[in-house]
Amino acid sequence: MLFDAIVKLWKTCDSTGLYSKGTIVIVPITYGSSREKLALGTIEALARAVYLWERSDREAYIAYGMPTNCYQGSASIEHRMKLAYLKSLGVFENKLIFGEECANSITEAKAVQKLITTAALEPRTCIVVCTQLHSRSVRYIWKRLFPRCDVRIVCLQGHPDVEKGHQILTQRSKWLWLFANFARHAALKTLGMERIEKISHPHAR
């Protein structure tokens, strides 16, 4: 299919880097939630993060931001659901780093950056779990914000970030979400992160 062929050319993924020496931080990128449940992309990113954490002999840390852009109160509501989900999969709370709000891909990376600094961690490797469509912009952002870290982009299979009824309107259609990712990446490279980080995704009321 044309869509899958485009995604194959667009995505940029790495091996995990789990066997690197030093501290490892795993970051499951958020794809939002409704008031009742986590979005499919968020669940799959969390599940992959837990799988990688287990493969690290449970030594790695899992860090995530708390998005404010889905609906009023989404940061605290999504955080509670994430925390419950991660604990249900056996993740130790002392291996979780959270508490900073975010509104887009740039502020999410900056939130994790602040969390890592506050926790006095100096990670050798950051494994960022995201979707294929999102991967190119994620790499661009994280490589610039974490220049001393070995940033690894681990892609989810399929397109769990596209979901009927998603709170973020551009994520309800795979073609619209593809265009949004093209546009974001072009804007990042031409306008820079300082301008783009002020923009939030359009969301349902």
Side-chain angles (χ1 to χ4, degrees), residues 81-155:
M81 289 190 285
K82 281 181 173 177
L83 189 58
Y85 181 75
L86 289 166
K87 284 184 174 181
S88 75
L89 295 180
V91 180
F92 309 143
E93 192 163 354
N94 67 346
K95 289 297 183 179
L96 296 175
I97 309 172
F98 52 81
E100 288 294 323
E101 295 183 350
C102 58
N104 57 38
S105 300
I106 299 168
T107 56
E108 185 172 13
K110 288 188 173 183
V112 172
Q113 187 182 52
K114 186 174 180 180
L115 290 168
I116 288 172
T117 300
T118 301
L121 295 177
E122 295 183 3
R124 184 77 172 271
T125 305
C126 277
I127 304 173
V128 188
V129 181
C130 64
T131 60
Q132 297 176 71
L133 284 173
H134 204 184
S135 60
R136 192 171 290 266
S137 292
V138 168
R139 181 185 297 280
Y140 184 91
I141 293 164
W142 284 76
K143 285 283 189 180
R144 281 155 181 76
L145 291 178
F146 293 82
R148 298 181 180 179
C149 198
D150 179 17
V151 175
R152 300 295 184 107
I153 306 300
V154 173
C155 293

Side-chain angles (χ1 to χ4, degrees), residues 153-196:
I153 306 300
V154 173
C155 293
L156 299 172
Q157 295 298 311
H159 309 292
D161 44 348
V162 179
E163 189 174 359
K164 184 179 180 181
H166 199 288
Q167 288 294 123
I168 304 301
L169 299 179
T170 50
Q171 290 181 235
R172 294 182 177 184
S173 159
K174 66 180 184 181
W175 287 104
L176 187 57
W177 186 230
L178 176 67
F179 175 78
N181 278 275
F182 285 171
R184 175 180 52 226
H185 195 67
L188 281 170
K189 299 191 77 171
T190 55
L191 300 176
M193 290 197 295
E194 292 299 320
R195 293 183 181 179
I196 302 305

Side-chain angles (χ1 to χ4, degrees), residues 49-103:
V50 173
Y51 168 74
L52 295 171
W53 175 74
E54 289 174 339
R55 285 187 58 199
S56 77
D57 293 327
R58 303 187 176 187
E59 291 296 326
Y61 293 85
I62 296 177
Y64 60 84
M66 297 159 54
T68 60
N69 60 320
C70 290
Y71 47 85
Q72 187 173 4
S74 64
S76 59
I77 292 171
E78 181 170 320
H79 164 60
R80 287 197 298 271
M81 289 190 285
K82 281 181 173 177
L83 189 58
Y85 181 75
L86 289 166
K87 284 184 174 181
S88 75
L89 295 180
V91 180
F92 309 143
E93 192 163 354
N94 67 346
K95 289 297 183 179
L96 296 175
I97 309 172
F98 52 81
E100 288 294 323
E101 295 183 350
C102 58

